Amino acid sequence: MPNLLLRPLDLTDEATAVAVHRIGRASYAVEAALIGFDGIPALRESLQEMRERPLHWSGAVSDDGSIAGFLAWAREPDGAIGIDRLCVDPAWFRRGVASRLMRHLLDETFPDRTVEVTTGASNAPAVALYEGLGMVRGADFSPVPDLLMAHFTRPAP
């Protein structure tokens, strides 16, 4: 894997926010094609709406300062960590960026917390990632017609 620095992202910085928004849209466009559903809320989210979300943002940043991928999460009322989004710039697909972001969150940032994430059930790369990390798949569910989602949990030790 190329040398990437994992660090918090500051979305009050215009260039960072614009890059995260662009990467998120590109990544979710790929997921929309994989799952056959283009109603993913982040695809229609404005830059300002994204910035206003009460999330913590972490990025994988290359030596030249470009963002290869990011992860956004929030603490749930029960103390669990809910991953809101995990996105990789399509130019960085299949280079371990998502795995590295997830391993950092699971093993270093929150080794003692329950971590939850949801993805389209037919998003094979994401399903393989979460299963490969030892996350437990719960019951699939349909939040809207014609969309099947998969929920994964890494229980607290």
Side-chain angles (χ1 to χ4, degrees):
M1 171 194 261
N3 188 27
L4 294 172
L5 173 67
L6 300 184
R7 65 173 176 82
L9 297 176
D10 177 7
L11 269 59
T12 64
D13 176 75
E14 187 70 19
T16 300
V18 167
V20 166
H21 191 249
R22 177 191 58 76
I23 292 164
R25 285 198 170 194
S27 182
Y28 280 118
V30 172
E31 180 174 19
L34 287 171
I35 67 174
F37 179 78
D38 66 358
I40 298 170
L43 280 172
R44 291 172 177 60
E45 182 178 65
S46 72
L47 177 62
Q48 188 59 36
E49 289 168 333
M50 181 193 75
R51 287 173 116 168
E52 291 172 354
R53 304 269 325 229
L55 299 170
H56 301 272
W57 302 82
S58 298
V61 181
S62 69
D63 289 335
D64 68 2
S66 63
I67 299 169
F70 65 87
L71 186 146
W73 57 270
R75 283 188 176 88
E76 302 296 334
D78 65 0
I81 301 303
I83 298 173
D84 184 79
R85 55 191 82 189
L86 173 61
C87 298
V88 175
D89 187 322
W92 285 86
F93 279 5
R94 299 192 178 280
R95 293 167 78 181
V97 176
S99 295
R100 182 135 179 241
L101 285 162
M102 283 296 298
R103 285 185 196 286
H104 181 74
L105 184 89
L106 295 171
D107 300 339
E108 297 175 39
T109 309
F110 297 111
D112 59 344
R113 295 274 182 93
T114 297
V115 176
E116 301 175 335
V117 66
T118 302
T119 189
S122 55
N123 182 345
V127 168
L129 170 67
Y130 302 134
E131 288 176 342
L133 291 169
M135 298 184 83
V136 178
R137 186 172 181 165
D140 290 353
F141 64 98
S142 266
V144 296
D146 301 323
L147 176 62
L148 188 62
M149 301 294 291
H151 182 81
F152 292 87
T153 304
R154 194 283 310 266

